[in-house]
Amino acid sequence: MKRSTHVAGALLTAGGLLLTTAACGSSSGKETDGKATVTVMTWESSATNQAIDKALAGFHDPNITVKRIDTPNGNYSDKLAALTQAKKLPDLFWCGNDTEQQYTSQGLLTDWASRLSGSGDFGAGSFVSSTMKNWKTADGKIGGVPSLMNTYGVWYDIDAFKAAGIAVPTSGWTWDQMFEAASKLHQKGAKYGLVADAMTGQDGPFTLSTYSLSAGGAPFTDSVHQPTKATIDATYTQGVSKLAAGIKSGAIAPPGYDVSNQQSLFAAGQIPMVWSGQWLAAGFLTDKPKIKYGFAPIPQAGKPATLYDAVGICTPSYTENADATFKVLKYLDSTVWTKVLPDSPVAAPAYLSAQDAYFGALDKAGLTTVASTVKSELNTPTSIGVRFTTQWASQTSDLITAYWPDILQGKKPLTDLQTMTGKINEVIKSNR
């Protein structure tokens, strides 16, 4: 579960498909015997789908048949777009917060708000509070149910820190300590002391908001769902200046650095710090790193501040049996992850009662720093989304790409941060 549009593949290997795999088709209908058929489409790898199938085999309702649609996880976005255009979306499909917000505002999804409004075991209060807040549209609709949550922090090589004479990161460590550690690690021979594409790439302006918010400044935007403005204040600029200085010195990998193999390089001891998400833990349990490692929370400049990012499960507005679909949806969120995550703890469930399976797996594997960091990030009240979820988000992404990398590398002056936000505000204004 790496981004709002993708979940990390291959949670685990499990044998035997226990559900029927269906060809691509329309939303649920009634079979000749009168039973409701609920179709499900994921973006998972074949191994993960087998694990989900095995877990779904425990769903028992004589009047409901579940069919999963095969979808190559590398081509999910294209298939989703095609099914949306053809109005043949399955009853339940994996979705990011951005897709849920956009599709709900267009009336393409079933609104589950009324079913989640109660105080039962699957009401809004049964989920991490920030998820329901972020999955509601401006008019209070909820077009999908949050499923798994990403948390972010810094993976660190314990041995590299000890060799450099640096204290390992702990909860409450500061941005200045992170930048200083990156510099010392670089001076000790690391090509880069820190690799952090979340800061140097397209999502960088949102990630740097955690510095500004923590230091008492303004975030990059007042909302990722219904923004009214983008802002770069003095505190925010200070954070960008420190990041740019780290890049200039060679302590931090520059924009454009190839991060496709950063996980393996970190595991081999070639990168001492990586800003990334908790999903790396599942891979480390399968492919044992040669190093001793830990996972620290996002650093602070004052009060704690973090990033919000969750994926979920959506339902088209034309589903033919909402009752049956909601039953399967509830089982997926409340039960399936409790059976899948123990073998590969890739992310914490948004459904609170399912979290014990995730944290229990981390504890069993001895990943205490991962467990403590994920818990602390989930409980941090001050947060910002990792990117705009609006239909016009690609326009702002183009502007960020045009300015952000050059500013960080000194090719454009820091004052161009104001130019960038000015153009972004023009986009926001034109789409309000």
Side-chain angles (χ1 to χ4, degrees), residues 126-280:
S126 303
F127 293 79
V128 175
S129 60
S130 61
T131 58
M132 285 304 168
K133 175 184 176 182
N134 280 280
W135 281 62
K136 278 187 179 181
T137 58
D139 54 0
K141 295 179 179 178
I142 304 177
V145 174
S147 180
L148 296 176
M149 301 188 68
N150 276 330
T151 51
Y152 296 82
V154 177
W155 292 90
Y156 57 91
D157 180 336
I158 294 174
D159 293 332
F161 270 72
K162 288 183 178 179
I166 312 168
V168 296
T170 59
S171 179
W173 72 315
T174 68
W175 282 83
D176 286 344
Q177 287 174 325
M178 182 183 73
F179 290 135
E180 183 180 356
S183 178
K184 288 183 177 179
L185 291 163
H186 173 59
Q187 292 169 12
K188 283 288 185 178
K191 182 176 181 180
Y192 299 113
L194 171 66
V195 173
D197 68 306
M199 287 194 284
T200 60
Q202 220 173 60
D203 296 338
F206 301 90
T207 301
L208 258 293
S209 288
T210 59
Y211 175 93
S212 188
L213 284 167
S214 180
F220 173 62
T221 182
D222 55 347
S223 170
V224 296
H225 298 326
Q226 296 93 33
T228 64
K229 62 179 179 179
T231 303
I232 299 289
D233 65 7
T235 304
Y236 189 102
T237 302
Q238 180 186 63
V240 176
S241 178
K242 291 181 178 182
L243 174 60
I247 292 170
K248 183 178 181 180
S249 72
I252 300 173
Y257 176 79
D258 182 8
V259 298
S260 60
N261 61 347
Q262 67 173 3
Q263 182 173 347
S264 59
L265 290 175
F266 173 77
Q270 296 182 42
I271 300 175
M273 278 198 298
V274 173
W275 179 300
S276 190
Q278 85 299 317
W279 58 81
L280 297 189

Side-chain angles (χ1 to χ4, degrees), residues 399 403 414-426:
L399 289 169
Y403 284 91
L414 283 173
T415 52
D416 269 5
L417 288 169
Q418 300 300 334
T419 305
M420 180 185 75
T421 52
K423 291 180 179 293
I424 289 173
N425 280 327
E426 290 176 6

Side-chain angles (χ1 to χ4, degrees), residues 1 4 7 11 42-44 52 93-97 100 116 122 126-128 131-132 135 142 144-150 278 308-314 328-338 340-341 346-355 358 378:
M1 197 193 105
S4 66
V7 168
L11 295 187
T42 83
W43 54 42
E44 309 292 354
I52 291 173
F93 61 94
W94 269 215
C95 59
N97 201 174
E100 181 266 339
L116 296 167
F122 203 68
S126 303
F127 293 79
V128 175
T131 58
M132 285 304 168
W135 281 62
I142 304 177
V145 174
S147 180
L148 296 176
M149 301 188 68
N150 276 330
Q278 85 299 317
Y308 170 83
D309 185 15
V311 299
I313 306 168
C314 290
V328 178
L329 171 60
K330 179 179 178 180
Y331 189 81
L332 281 166
D333 245 15
S334 66
T335 305
V336 166
W337 291 125
T338 67
V340 173
L341 293 176
V346 68
Y351 184 67
L352 293 169
S353 295
Q355 289 187 352
Y358 171 72
L378 291 179

Side-chain angles (χ1 to χ4, degrees), residues 37-67:
T37 298
V38 176
T39 51
V40 180
M41 184 172 75
T42 83
W43 54 42
E44 309 292 354
S45 67
S46 59
T48 302
N49 280 329
Q50 288 181 29
I52 291 173
D53 290 341
K54 185 175 180 179
L56 271 172
F59 174 79
H60 298 297
D61 189 311
N63 297 313
I64 301 174
T65 299
V66 181
K67 290 186 177 181

